[in-house]
Structure formats: C-alpha cells, structure tokens
Amino acid sequence: MSFLWKSSIGRKLIMSITGTALVLFLLFHMAMNLAAVFSAEAYNWICALLGANWYALLGTMGLGALVGIHFIYAFWLSWQNFRARGMQRYAQKKSPGVSWASRNMLVLGIIVCCGLLVHLFNFWAKMQLVEVLGHHENSLGFAAVDGYSLIERLFSNPLYCVVYLVWFAALWFHMTHGIWSAIQTIGWNNEAWKGRIKAISHILATLIFLGFATVVVFFYLKSLGLF
C-alpha cells in the first residue's frame, strides 16, 4: 500500500477518494440547509440530531480527517508539480484546452479552506462545540441546537452574504474540475465518457452551489421583509 503516498498515481487516487467523499457530504449538507428555508422546526430538529451525539462526533472527526488528508495531499502534489515543471511553468499555464479551474486548483483550494474556517467559527463553534463543552447556550444567547436563529442572524448581514457566496463560487470552480478529475483517476477515462463526465461534474457542482446560495439569498431577503 506504500504506492498510495510514494507514487504520483497513488497520491492522486487518495485525492480522488477523499474528494468524492467530501462532495457526497456537501450534497447532504446542502439538502440539510435547504430544510431551513421551509421549516425552522425541521431544521433545528436536524441540528439536534447532529449535535453532541456519539455518532455525530465520530462523523465530525471523520470529516475533519478527510478534509485534512485532502488538503495535505493537494499541497503536496502542487509542490511536486511546481518543482517538476521548472522553467516550463509559464508554458503550462498557457496550454490550450486547460481550464482556468485546473490551472488554479491550489488557489481555489486555499479560498475554500479559508471559507471553511469562517464557517466553523460561525456555526460549529457555536453549536456542536458548545454542547461538547457542556453549555446549553452559545455566546450569542441562542440554544446550541438553534441553528435556524444562527442562519437568520448571519445572513441578515450583507457582508457575510458576499463572503459565503464567494466561498460557494470557489467551491463550484473547484468541484467542476475536481469531480471530473476524480472520476478519471478512478478509471473512467475513455473518450466516450469524457464529455459525459464533464457534464456530470458541472451538474453536481451547480446543484450544490445553487442549494447553498438559495439559503443565503432567502435569509437575506427575509431580513429585508420580503419573505
């Protein structure tokens, strides 16, 4: 199994597997967040279900491990590619047929990582972490399972709305190339499937982007009294 970290193919395989798992989580998280648009009670019920329970904590640790492995390997591969290209780096950037997202995956990954830290501060630290520490309320005075109030408060702020939408846009670009690359690495890389894989990547990435963005826009408009 040493080829998984000693060879370029093995490292790309790990990137593909962890990336695929993270995309599946994003689909679940997006669907969960959409519940808030329809019912505060339903969303807070989901938040309570995924609070400081043993299964939720195990899932959080597993998710953290996936994110950590994915980003560590991303930086590792990017550094190796940077060293290997040498003087050909400029030519590589200008190669025809290479998408903008493909050329800027590391930058997009850094934006995604920064957005994740902001999100953890705004939600995880005020919900699950509060429960783990044995408190019933967070620093804002909301119950630890009252995710609806957190969403409502956060997205009444236009600055946070812009920050999150930029984060989602970076995720969209990252996923359009990442999903396609992951499927190819796993083995579906024949010409017959090339166009279909790219279409699947764009559909999945767009679905996730629109789902998350809908929540931001809905709650901002709600804060203006339009809902």
Side-chain angles (χ1 to χ4, degrees), residues 39-71:
S39 169
E41 292 76 15
Y43 183 70
N44 283 343
W45 178 83
I46 295 171
C47 291
L49 190 67
L50 299 176
N53 306 299
W54 67 268
Y55 51 84
L57 291 174
L58 280 177
T60 300
M61 289 187 286
L63 182 62
L66 284 173
V67 172
I69 293 169
H70 191 75
F71 278 104

PDB file of all heavy atoms in Angstrom, residues 39-71:
ATOM      1  N   SER A  39     -38.774  25.166   7.001  1.00  0.00           N
ATOM      2  CA  SER A  39     -39.271  24.986   8.355  1.00  0.00           C
ATOM      3  C   SER A  39     -38.162  25.159   9.386  1.00  0.00           C
ATOM      4  O   SER A  39     -37.175  24.424   9.357  1.00  0.00           O
ATOM      5  CB  SER A  39     -39.890  23.588   8.504  1.00  0.00           C
ATOM      6  OG  SER A  39     -40.158  23.285   9.848  1.00  0.00           O
ATOM      7  N   ALA A  40     -38.356  26.104  10.303  1.00  0.00           N
ATOM      8  CA  ALA A  40     -37.385  26.310  11.386  1.00  0.00           C
ATOM      9  C   ALA A  40     -37.354  25.094  12.302  1.00  0.00           C
ATOM     10  O   ALA A  40     -36.286  24.659  12.748  1.00  0.00           O
ATOM     11  CB  ALA A  40     -37.762  27.560  12.178  1.00  0.00           C
ATOM     12  N   GLU A  41     -38.534  24.518  12.573  1.00  0.00           N
ATOM     13  CA  GLU A  41     -38.614  23.362  13.460  1.00  0.00           C
ATOM     14  C   GLU A  41     -37.890  22.156  12.865  1.00  0.00           C
ATOM     15  O   GLU A  41     -37.156  21.448  13.575  1.00  0.00           O
ATOM     16  CB  GLU A  41     -40.075  22.993  13.732  1.00  0.00           C
ATOM     17  CG  GLU A  41     -40.842  24.003  14.567  1.00  0.00           C
ATOM     18  CD  GLU A  41     -41.247  25.237  13.769  1.00  0.00           C
ATOM     19  OE1 GLU A  41     -41.189  25.198  12.515  1.00  0.00           O
ATOM     20  OE2 GLU A  41     -41.614  26.253  14.403  1.00  0.00           O
ATOM     21  N   ALA A  42     -38.081  21.916  11.573  1.00  0.00           N
ATOM     22  CA  ALA A  42     -37.431  20.771  10.919  1.00  0.00           C
ATOM     23  C   ALA A  42     -35.921  20.938  10.922  1.00  0.00           C
ATOM     24  O   ALA A  42     -35.176  19.986  11.200  1.00  0.00           O
ATOM     25  CB  ALA A  42     -37.950  20.633   9.485  1.00  0.00           C
ATOM     26  N   TYR A  43     -35.454  22.155  10.641  1.00  0.00           N
ATOM     27  CA  TYR A  43     -34.007  22.383  10.612  1.00  0.00           C
ATOM     28  C   TYR A  43     -33.386  22.222  11.997  1.00  0.00           C
ATOM     29  O   TYR A  43     -32.343  21.586  12.148  1.00  0.00           O
ATOM     30  CB  TYR A  43     -33.699  23.776  10.061  1.00  0.00           C
ATOM     31  CG  TYR A  43     -32.212  24.021   9.947  1.00  0.00           C
ATOM     32  CD1 TYR A  43     -31.451  23.359   8.996  1.00  0.00           C
ATOM     33  CD2 TYR A  43     -31.570  24.906  10.820  1.00  0.00           C
ATOM     34  CE1 TYR A  43     -30.076  23.565   8.904  1.00  0.00           C
ATOM     35  CE2 TYR A  43     -30.200  25.120  10.729  1.00  0.00           C
ATOM     36  CZ  TYR A  43     -29.465  24.444   9.772  1.00  0.00           C
ATOM     37  OH  TYR A  43     -28.107  24.635   9.693  1.00  0.00           O
ATOM     38  N   ASN A  44     -34.036  22.771  13.017  1.00  0.00           N
ATOM     39  CA  ASN A  44     -33.499  22.642  14.363  1.00  0.00           C
ATOM     40  C   ASN A  44     -33.570  21.202  14.866  1.00  0.00           C
ATOM     41  O   ASN A  44     -32.731  20.778  15.678  1.00  0.00           O
ATOM     42  CB  ASN A  44     -34.240  23.575  15.330  1.00  0.00           C
ATOM     43  CG  ASN A  44     -33.795  25.022  15.181  1.00  0.00           C
ATOM     44  OD1 ASN A  44     -32.744  25.300  14.594  1.00  0.00           O
ATOM     45  ND2 ASN A  44     -34.577  25.946  15.698  1.00  0.00           N
ATOM     46  N   TRP A  45     -34.556  20.440  14.402  1.00  0.00           N
ATOM     47  CA  TRP A  45     -34.619  19.010  14.736  1.00  0.00           C
ATOM     48  C   TRP A  45     -33.406  18.288  14.165  1.00  0.00           C
ATOM     49  O   TRP A  45     -32.790  17.455  14.839  1.00  0.00           O
ATOM     50  CB  TRP A  45     -35.906  18.400  14.191  1.00  0.00           C
ATOM     51  CG  TRP A  45     -36.014  16.924  14.458  1.00  0.00           C
ATOM     52  CD1 TRP A  45     -36.452  16.330  15.616  1.00  0.00           C
ATOM     53  CD2 TRP A  45     -35.666  15.869  13.556  1.00  0.00           C
ATOM     54  NE1 TRP A  45     -36.394  14.963  15.494  1.00  0.00           N
ATOM     55  CE2 TRP A  45     -35.919  14.648  14.242  1.00  0.00           C
ATOM     56  CE3 TRP A  45     -35.175  15.818  12.253  1.00  0.00           C
ATOM     57  CZ2 TRP A  45     -35.695  13.402  13.650  1.00  0.00           C
ATOM     58  CZ3 TRP A  45     -34.944  14.581  11.666  1.00  0.00           C
ATOM     59  CH2 TRP A  45     -35.204  13.387  12.362  1.00  0.00           C
ATOM     60  N   ILE A  46     -33.043  18.631  12.930  1.00  0.00           N
ATOM     61  CA  ILE A  46     -31.856  18.039  12.304  1.00  0.00           C
ATOM     62  C   ILE A  46     -30.600  18.452  13.075  1.00  0.00           C
ATOM     63  O   ILE A  46     -29.707  17.633  13.314  1.00  0.00           O
ATOM     64  CB  ILE A  46     -31.745  18.475  10.829  1.00  0.00           C
ATOM     65  CG1 ILE A  46     -32.921  17.921  10.016  1.00  0.00           C
ATOM     66  CG2 ILE A  46     -30.427  17.986  10.225  1.00  0.00           C
ATOM     67  CD1 ILE A  46     -33.009  18.472   8.609  1.00  0.00           C
ATOM     68  N   CYS A  47     -30.539  19.715  13.490  1.00  0.00           N
ATOM     69  CA  CYS A  47     -29.380  20.200  14.256  1.00  0.00           C
ATOM     70  C   CYS A  47     -29.242  19.441  15.568  1.00  0.00           C
ATOM     71  O   CYS A  47     -28.123  19.099  15.990  1.00  0.00           O
ATOM     72  CB  CYS A  47     -29.521  21.696  14.536  1.00  0.00           C
ATOM     73  SG  CYS A  47     -29.361  22.735  13.065  1.00  0.00           S
ATOM     74  N   ALA A  48     -30.380  19.176  16.228  1.00  0.00           N
ATOM     75  CA  ALA A  48     -30.346  18.421  17.486  1.00  0.00           C
ATOM     76  C   ALA A  48     -29.891  16.990  17.233  1.00  0.00           C
ATOM     77  O   ALA A  48     -29.125  16.415  18.026  1.00  0.00           O
ATOM     78  CB  ALA A  48     -31.731  18.440  18.134  1.00  0.00           C
ATOM     79  N   LEU A  49     -30.333  16.427  16.117  1.00  0.00           N
ATOM     80  CA  LEU A  49     -29.952  15.055  15.764  1.00  0.00           C
ATOM     81  C   LEU A  49     -28.455  14.950  15.509  1.00  0.00           C
ATOM     82  O   LEU A  49     -27.827  13.917  15.787  1.00  0.00           O
ATOM     83  CB  LEU A  49     -30.733  14.629  14.514  1.00  0.00           C
ATOM     84  CG  LEU A  49     -30.676  13.157  14.115  1.00  0.00           C
ATOM     85  CD1 LEU A  49     -31.375  12.283  15.152  1.00  0.00           C
ATOM     86  CD2 LEU A  49     -31.313  12.958  12.742  1.00  0.00           C
ATOM     87  N   LEU A  50     -27.861  16.024  14.976  1.00  0.00           N
ATOM     88  CA  LEU A  50     -26.438  16.019  14.632  1.00  0.00           C
ATOM     89  C   LEU A  50     -25.603  16.844  15.622  1.00  0.00           C
ATOM     90  O   LEU A  50     -24.563  17.372  15.271  1.00  0.00           O
ATOM     91  CB  LEU A  50     -26.257  16.586  13.216  1.00  0.00           C
ATOM     92  CG  LEU A  50     -26.950  15.816  12.099  1.00  0.00           C
ATOM     93  CD1 LEU A  50     -26.775  16.524  10.767  1.00  0.00           C
ATOM     94  CD2 LEU A  50     -26.406  14.393  12.004  1.00  0.00           C
ATOM     95  N   GLY A  51     -26.075  16.945  16.845  1.00  0.00           N
ATOM     96  CA  GLY A  51     -25.362  17.705  17.863  1.00  0.00           C
ATOM     97  C   GLY A  51     -24.220  16.909  18.477  1.00  0.00           C
ATOM     98  O   GLY A  51     -23.446  16.267  17.779  1.00  0.00           O
ATOM     99  N   ALA A  52     -24.138  16.925  19.815  1.00  0.00           N
ATOM    100  CA  ALA A  52     -23.025  16.272  20.510  1.00  0.00           C
ATOM    101  C   ALA A  52     -23.336  14.805  20.797  1.00  0.00           C
ATOM    102  O   ALA A  52     -23.083  14.293  21.888  1.00  0.00           O
ATOM    103  CB  ALA A  52     -22.715  17.015  21.799  1.00  0.00           C
ATOM    104  N   ASN A  53     -23.929  14.112  19.834  1.00  0.00           N
ATOM    105  CA  ASN A  53     -24.182  12.678  19.941  1.00  0.00           C
ATOM    106  C   ASN A  53     -22.939  11.913  19.497  1.00  0.00           C
ATOM    107  O   ASN A  53     -22.159  12.412  18.683  1.00  0.00           O
ATOM    108  CB  ASN A  53     -25.373  12.284  19.065  1.00  0.00           C
ATOM    109  CG  ASN A  53     -26.607  13.121  19.371  1.00  0.00           C
ATOM    110  OD1 ASN A  53     -27.115  13.109  20.484  1.00  0.00           O
ATOM    111  ND2 ASN A  53     -27.069  13.890  18.397  1.00  0.00           N
ATOM    112  N   TRP A  54     -22.771  10.690  19.966  1.00  0.00           N
ATOM    113  CA  TRP A  54     -21.552   9.942  19.653  1.00  0.00           C
ATOM    114  C   TRP A  54     -21.365   9.745  18.164  1.00  0.00           C
ATOM    115  O   TRP A  54     -20.262   9.867  17.623  1.00  0.00           O
ATOM    116  CB  TRP A  54     -21.551   8.596  20.378  1.00  0.00           C
ATOM    117  CG  TRP A  54     -22.611   7.630  19.906  1.00  0.00           C
ATOM    118  CD1 TRP A  54     -23.864   7.460  20.409  1.00  0.00           C
ATOM    119  CD2 TRP A  54     -22.493   6.694  18.813  1.00  0.00           C
ATOM    120  NE1 TRP A  54     -24.558   6.501  19.708  1.00  0.00           N
ATOM    121  CE2 TRP A  54     -23.729   6.009  18.723  1.00  0.00           C
ATOM    122  CE3 TRP A  54     -21.476   6.374  17.918  1.00  0.00           C
ATOM    123  CZ2 TRP A  54     -23.969   5.017  17.775  1.00  0.00           C
ATOM    124  CZ3 TRP A  54     -21.711   5.388  16.953  1.00  0.00           C
ATOM    125  CH2 TRP A  54     -22.945   4.727  16.896  1.00  0.00           C
ATOM    126  N   TYR A  55     -22.478   9.466  17.447  1.00  0.00           N
ATOM    127  CA  TYR A  55     -22.370   9.220  16.013  1.00  0.00           C
ATOM    128  C   TYR A  55     -22.040  10.509  15.253  1.00  0.00           C
ATOM    129  O   TYR A  55     -21.292  10.493  14.269  1.00  0.00           O
ATOM    130  CB  TYR A  55     -23.644   8.571  15.458  1.00  0.00           C
ATOM    131  CG  TYR A  55     -24.919   9.294  15.820  1.00  0.00           C
ATOM    132  CD1 TYR A  55     -25.388  10.384  15.087  1.00  0.00           C
ATOM    133  CD2 TYR A  55     -25.679   8.879  16.915  1.00  0.00           C
ATOM    134  CE1 TYR A  55     -26.548  11.041  15.417  1.00  0.00           C
ATOM    135  CE2 TYR A  55     -26.853   9.535  17.264  1.00  0.00           C
ATOM    136  CZ  TYR A  55     -27.279  10.613  16.507  1.00  0.00           C
ATOM    137  OH  TYR A  55     -28.437  11.279  16.847  1.00  0.00           O
ATOM    138  N   ALA A  56     -22.595  11.630  15.726  1.00  0.00           N
ATOM    139  CA  ALA A  56     -22.305  12.922  15.084  1.00  0.00           C
ATOM    140  C   ALA A  56     -20.857  13.333  15.339  1.00  0.00           C
ATOM    141  O   ALA A  56     -20.186  13.872  14.453  1.00  0.00           O
ATOM    142  CB  ALA A  56     -23.257  13.986  15.596  1.00  0.00           C
ATOM    143  N   LEU A  57     -20.361  13.069  16.543  1.00  0.00           N
ATOM    144  CA  LEU A  57     -18.970  13.395  16.863  1.00  0.00           C
ATOM    145  C   LEU A  57     -18.001  12.538  16.062  1.00  0.00           C
ATOM    146  O   LEU A  57     -16.981  13.029  15.565  1.00  0.00           O
ATOM    147  CB  LEU A  57     -18.718  13.221  18.362  1.00  0.00           C
ATOM    148  CG  LEU A  57     -19.425  14.231  19.271  1.00  0.00           C
ATOM    149  CD1 LEU A  57     -19.229  13.861  20.739  1.00  0.00           C
ATOM    150  CD2 LEU A  57     -18.909  15.644  19.013  1.00  0.00           C
ATOM    151  N   LEU A  58     -18.327  11.252  15.910  1.00  0.00           N
ATOM    152  CA  LEU A  58     -17.496  10.377  15.077  1.00  0.00           C
ATOM    153  C   LEU A  58     -17.496  10.863  13.627  1.00  0.00           C
ATOM    154  O   LEU A  58     -16.465  10.876  12.957  1.00  0.00           O
ATOM    155  CB  LEU A  58     -18.005   8.927  15.134  1.00  0.00           C
ATOM    156  CG  LEU A  58     -17.613   8.101  16.356  1.00  0.00           C
ATOM    157  CD1 LEU A  58     -18.258   6.714  16.285  1.00  0.00           C
ATOM    158  CD2 LEU A  58     -16.088   7.953  16.439  1.00  0.00           C
ATOM    159  N   GLY A  59     -18.696  11.268  13.150  1.00  0.00           N
ATOM    160  CA  GLY A  59     -18.791  11.785  11.790  1.00  0.00           C
ATOM    161  C   GLY A  59     -17.993  13.063  11.615  1.00  0.00           C
ATOM    162  O   GLY A  59     -17.333  13.255  10.582  1.00  0.00           O
ATOM    163  N   THR A  60     -18.024  13.937  12.621  1.00  0.00           N
ATOM    164  CA  THR A  60     -17.260  15.184  12.566  1.00  0.00           C
ATOM    165  C   THR A  60     -15.760  14.909  12.500  1.00  0.00           C
ATOM    166  O   THR A  60     -15.032  15.528  11.724  1.00  0.00           O
ATOM    167  CB  THR A  60     -17.567  16.067  13.790  1.00  0.00           C
ATOM    168  OG1 THR A  60     -18.970  16.369  13.795  1.00  0.00           O
ATOM    169  CG2 THR A  60     -16.781  17.362  13.743  1.00  0.00           C
ATOM    170  N   MET A  61     -15.289  13.965  13.337  1.00  0.00           N
ATOM    171  CA  MET A  61     -13.872  13.612  13.327  1.00  0.00           C
ATOM    172  C   MET A  61     -13.473  12.990  11.991  1.00  0.00           C
ATOM    173  O   MET A  61     -12.398  13.288  11.444  1.00  0.00           O
ATOM    174  CB  MET A  61     -13.551  12.670  14.485  1.00  0.00           C
ATOM    175  CG  MET A  61     -13.591  13.340  15.850  1.00  0.00           C
ATOM    176  SD  MET A  61     -13.018  12.272  17.195  1.00  0.00           S
ATOM    177  CE  MET A  61     -14.426  11.155  17.361  1.00  0.00           C
ATOM    178  N   GLY A  62     -14.338  12.135  11.454  1.00  0.00           N
ATOM    179  CA  GLY A  62     -14.060  11.521  10.158  1.00  0.00           C
ATOM    180  C   GLY A  62     -14.011  12.560   9.053  1.00  0.00           C
ATOM    181  O   GLY A  62     -13.138  12.509   8.178  1.00  0.00           O
ATOM    182  N   LEU A  63     -14.953  13.507   9.111  1.00  0.00           N
ATOM    183  CA  LEU A  63     -14.985  14.571   8.105  1.00  0.00           C
ATOM    184  C   LEU A  63     -13.742  15.442   8.208  1.00  0.00           C
ATOM    185  O   LEU A  63     -13.139  15.815   7.198  1.00  0.00           O
ATOM    186  CB  LEU A  63     -16.238  15.426   8.305  1.00  0.00           C
ATOM    187  CG  LEU A  63     -16.464  16.557   7.317  1.00  0.00           C
ATOM    188  CD1 LEU A  63     -16.643  16.018   5.906  1.00  0.00           C
ATOM    189  CD2 LEU A  63     -17.689  17.377   7.736  1.00  0.00           C
ATOM    190  N   GLY A  64     -13.338  15.754   9.446  1.00  0.00           N
ATOM    191  CA  GLY A  64     -12.121  16.541   9.647  1.00  0.00           C
ATOM    192  C   GLY A  64     -10.901  15.839   9.089  1.00  0.00           C
ATOM    193  O   GLY A  64     -10.022  16.476   8.483  1.00  0.00           O
ATOM    194  N   ALA A  65     -10.847  14.511   9.280  1.00  0.00           N
ATOM    195  CA  ALA A  65      -9.720  13.733   8.752  1.00  0.00           C
ATOM    196  C   ALA A  65      -9.713  13.772   7.227  1.00  0.00           C
ATOM    197  O   ALA A  65      -8.655  13.925   6.596  1.00  0.00           O
ATOM    198  CB  ALA A  65      -9.808  12.286   9.248  1.00  0.00           C
ATOM    199  N   LEU A  66     -10.889  13.643   6.607  1.00  0.00           N
ATOM    200  CA  LEU A  66     -10.988  13.692   5.144  1.00  0.00           C
ATOM    201  C   LEU A  66     -10.501  15.031   4.604  1.00  0.00           C
ATOM    202  O   LEU A  66      -9.744  15.085   3.632  1.00  0.00           O
ATOM    203  CB  LEU A  66     -12.437  13.453   4.704  1.00  0.00           C
ATOM    204  CG  LEU A  66     -12.973  12.028   4.750  1.00  0.00           C
ATOM    205  CD1 LEU A  66     -14.460  12.020   4.450  1.00  0.00           C
ATOM    206  CD2 LEU A  66     -12.229  11.132   3.759  1.00  0.00           C
ATOM    207  N   VAL A  67     -10.964  16.123   5.238  1.00  0.00           N
ATOM    208  CA  VAL A  67     -10.554  17.465   4.812  1.00  0.00           C
ATOM    209  C   VAL A  67      -9.049  17.622   4.955  1.00  0.00           C
ATOM    210  O   VAL A  67      -8.362  18.121   4.055  1.00  0.00           O
ATOM    211  CB  VAL A  67     -11.292  18.547   5.618  1.00  0.00           C
ATOM    212  CG1 VAL A  67     -10.720  19.928   5.320  1.00  0.00           C
ATOM    213  CG2 VAL A  67     -12.783  18.530   5.299  1.00  0.00           C
ATOM    214  N   GLY A  68      -8.513  17.184   6.107  1.00  0.00           N
ATOM    215  CA  GLY A  68      -7.079  17.308   6.356  1.00  0.00           C
ATOM    216  C   GLY A  68      -6.250  16.547   5.335  1.00  0.00           C
ATOM    217  O   GLY A  68      -5.291  17.087   4.760  1.00  0.00           O
ATOM    218  N   ILE A  69      -6.625  15.295   5.095  1.00  0.00           N
ATOM    219  CA  ILE A  69      -5.892  14.466   4.122  1.00  0.00           C
ATOM    220  C   ILE A  69      -5.973  15.077   2.731  1.00  0.00           C
ATOM    221  O   ILE A  69      -4.973  15.158   2.010  1.00  0.00           O
ATOM    222  CB  ILE A  69      -6.443  13.026   4.116  1.00  0.00           C
ATOM    223  CG1 ILE A  69      -6.124  12.334   5.449  1.00  0.00           C
ATOM    224  CG2 ILE A  69      -5.867  12.224   2.949  1.00  0.00           C
ATOM    225  CD1 ILE A  69      -6.844  11.009   5.644  1.00  0.00           C
ATOM    226  N   HIS A  70      -7.167  15.518   2.349  1.00  0.00           N
ATOM    227  CA  HIS A  70      -7.368  16.079   1.008  1.00  0.00           C
ATOM    228  C   HIS A  70      -6.487  17.307   0.783  1.00  0.00           C
ATOM    229  O   HIS A  70      -5.822  17.429  -0.253  1.00  0.00           O
ATOM    230  CB  HIS A  70      -8.843  16.440   0.826  1.00  0.00           C
ATOM    231  CG  HIS A  70      -9.219  16.776  -0.579  1.00  0.00           C
ATOM    232  ND1 HIS A  70      -9.357  15.830  -1.568  1.00  0.00           N
ATOM    233  CD2 HIS A  70      -9.482  17.975  -1.183  1.00  0.00           C
ATOM    234  CE1 HIS A  70      -9.701  16.417  -2.694  1.00  0.00           C
ATOM    235  NE2 HIS A  70      -9.769  17.728  -2.502  1.00  0.00           N
ATOM    236  N   PHE A  71      -6.462  18.220   1.755  1.00  0.00           N
ATOM    237  CA  PHE A  71      -5.687  19.451   1.591  1.00  0.00           C
ATOM    238  C   PHE A  71      -4.186  19.206   1.706  1.00  0.00           C
ATOM    239  O   PHE A  71      -3.397  19.823   0.994  1.00  0.00           O
ATOM    240  CB  PHE A  71      -6.149  20.516   2.585  1.00  0.00           C
ATOM    241  CG  PHE A  71      -7.372  21.253   2.139  1.00  0.00           C
ATOM    242  CD1 PHE A  71      -8.617  20.975   2.703  1.00  0.00           C
ATOM    243  CD2 PHE A  71      -7.309  22.195   1.124  1.00  0.00           C
ATOM    244  CE1 PHE A  71      -9.750  21.637   2.275  1.00  0.00           C
ATOM    245  CE2 PHE A  71      -8.434  22.862   0.693  1.00  0.00           C
ATOM    246  CZ  PHE A  71      -9.663  22.581   1.271  1.00  0.00           C
TER     247      PHE A  71
END
